[in-house]
Amino acid sequence: MTSTMTEATDPWCLREGESAALLSGHPWRRFAVLGDSVAEGLCEPVDGYPDVQWADRIAAELRAAAPDLAYLNLGSRGLRAHEVRATQLGPALEFRPDLALVVCGGNDAFRPAYDADAVDAELTAMVEALQAAGTDVITVGMFDVSHSPAVPEVHRANLGTRMRRLADHTRALAERLGTVHVHLTDHPLTADPSIYSSDGRHGSARSDAIAAAETLRRLSHHLRTRKARMS
């Protein structure tokens, strides 16, 4: 894919020096990622944007402020929520993270038989287990991929309904459990074709750059809020 912008000029991406200011003095030293292909990183290259996927970007920015940060990415493409919990929660807990990103449910929502309550239960089990181990957890409402030009028009409306239901349920779960939630579904660019890959299922390098910026801003807000509560 091509773009007339670069990450440096993209108004939705991090500005020079912004990440250092957002994450200055952050407490995290062990960052784990659980999920499907979004976590693994299958973004499509875009001219002007480094070919670095979302979770790796977050880890790099965390490490820039804390060089001793340990990073484990367990993400694997094609997994549904129950498979993520079954195969990744144990290894993640063994890693003893103090920060974890959990992103899944998209593969469930791609299916007409998507069971939102079942996905909620899997996400809840993972978040609660990580929190019980002392981990700050990031959850995500993903960009609505039904806007991708590669999605056939006949499937667009129903897929969009399911993706939005997944996002709404995940946001409600985040509010209930107290996660650091990144809601991308209503981002101003969610219908912009430049943020989607040509496979109709994943994002582009631009979407990963934007998602990383939004994630770091939410982490910074979380730190400021926690500090205010303790003062």
Side-chain angles (χ1 to χ4, degrees):
M1 297 178 67
T2 59
S3 172
T4 58
M5 283 188 296
T6 68
E7 186 167 350
T9 62
D10 192 325
W12 299 104
C13 294
L14 292 168
R15 304 271 61 82
E16 184 175 356
E18 182 180 357
S19 178
L22 290 171
L23 296 177
S24 177
H26 80 72
W28 299 296
R29 295 299 181 270
R30 301 184 69 81
F31 175 44
V33 176
L34 300 79
D36 52 27
S37 58
V38 177
E40 179 184 354
L42 295 182
C43 68
E44 188 165 87
V46 175
D47 291 344
Y49 294 77
D51 190 16
V52 182
Q53 65 96 3
W54 174 37
D56 288 352
R57 284 172 173 271
I58 297 169
E61 299 296 349
L62 291 168
R63 188 171 282 151
D68 59 339
L69 180 90
Y71 171 44
L72 174 67
N73 191 333
L74 297 162
S76 182
R77 69 195 70 183
L79 298 185
R80 295 172 63 189
H82 72 279
E83 296 170 316
V84 172
R85 181 181 61 82
T87 61
Q88 299 177 17
L89 180 58
L93 291 171
E94 290 176 5
F95 179 69
R96 295 179 292 107
D98 50 14
L99 179 67
L101 167 64
V102 180
V103 53
C104 61
N107 289 317
D108 297 84
F110 259 89
R111 298 166 178 255
Y114 164 54
D115 185 337
D117 292 337
V119 172
D120 287 355
E122 299 295 344
L123 285 169
T124 297
M126 287 185 275
V127 170
E128 289 184 337
L130 288 161
Q131 289 178 330
T135 307
D136 289 323
V137 180
I138 306 166
T139 51
V140 184
M142 295 175 286
F143 290 113
D144 180 0
V145 75
S146 72
H147 292 289
S148 168
V151 173
E153 185 66 35
V154 67
H155 299 308
R156 197 178 301 279
N158 287 336
L159 176 59
T161 297
R162 296 195 300 272
M163 294 301 294
R164 183 158 296 281
R165 189 177 185 199
L166 171 63
D168 289 345
H169 274 241
T170 305
R171 181 161 56 179
L173 179 152
E175 291 174 355
R176 176 169 56 86
L177 298 180
T179 69
V180 180
H181 189 63
V182 184
H183 184 70
L184 299 171
T185 315
D186 292 318
H187 190 279
L189 294 187
T190 198
D192 189 313
S194 73
I195 69 169
Y196 298 108
S197 71
S198 57
D199 68 1
R201 297 182 69 93
H202 300 101
S204 69
R206 187 185 186 202
S207 76
D208 276 24
I210 293 167
E214 294 297 328
T215 303
L216 297 185
R217 290 164 185 155
R218 289 300 302 159
L219 285 173
S220 179
H221 175 76
H222 170 75
L223 290 176
R224 293 195 308 271
T225 300
R226 185 160 67 183
K227 183 177 180 180
R229 289 174 178 170
M230 295 175 63
S231 61

